[in-house]
Amino acid sequence: MVFLLLGAIGFSLVEPAEGPWWSRFGRALWWGLVTMTTVGYGDVVPVTFLGRLLASGLMVIGFISLSLVTATVASVFIERKFRQEKGLEAIKVTQHILILGWPEDAEALLDQLLKRLPPAIPGGPDQQGPP
């Protein structure tokens, strides 16, 4: 927005145009928006050397700004996909127990966990062995 306003101010001051200042500034603001977004309708074009120099700078700034926004959005999606594939995203389940790895005392841990299960759950304390 800052570059757009600065470009429009510069364009309205450098380029020859007739009419009141708000009309020239409105036209310059339209030119700046069209230039920064790389649309380039061609209905408003600079004719002076300073105007063309200003336009060149605004084109580069617009291109860089658009590229940065696109790259940032893509980066967010790519990072999210990467984290999901690596299993680094938060797990959003309830009433589950997650055991990572297999420590030496894993069987004792599983026995303790099974003893805490309610009797109605398969594998609970009132049942012997796997269901």
Side-chain angles (χ1 to χ4, degrees), residues 12 35 39 42 61-62 71 75 81-82 86 96 115 117 125 127:
S12 64
T35 301
V39 174
I61 289 170
S75 175
K81 181 71 173 168
F82 177 75
K86 293 286 187 177
H96 284 74
K115 287 179 185 176
L117 290 175
Q127 295 184 6

Side-chain angles (χ1 to χ4, degrees), residues 11-110:
F11 189 83
S12 64
L13 294 175
V14 171
E15 289 298 310
E18 295 179 9
W21 70 269
W22 62 83
S23 175
R24 290 191 320 262
F25 183 71
R27 188 171 167 92
L29 199 56
W30 171 252
W31 166 83
L33 184 64
V34 168
T35 301
M36 281 193 76
T37 57
T38 67
V39 174
Y41 284 127
D43 57 343
V44 180
V45 294
V47 293
T48 64
F49 173 74
L50 286 177
R52 290 180 180 171
L53 190 63
L54 179 68
S56 299
L58 200 58
M59 286 178 212
V60 170
I61 289 170
F63 180 73
I64 290 171
S65 299
L66 188 61
S67 299
L68 288 175
V69 168
T70 305
T72 302
V73 170
S75 175
V76 167
F77 286 118
I78 290 170
E79 182 181 352
R80 187 177 206 184
K81 181 71 173 168
F82 177 75
R83 290 179 62 81
Q84 285 175 348
E85 288 177 359
K86 293 286 187 177
L88 300 174
E89 285 291 313
I91 298 172
K92 299 174 184 165
V93 294
T94 58
Q95 299 181 0
H96 284 74
I97 297 172
L98 178 63
I99 301 173
L100 301 175
W102 190 260
E104 294 176 12
D105 56 352
E107 289 184 36
L109 173 65
L110 289 176

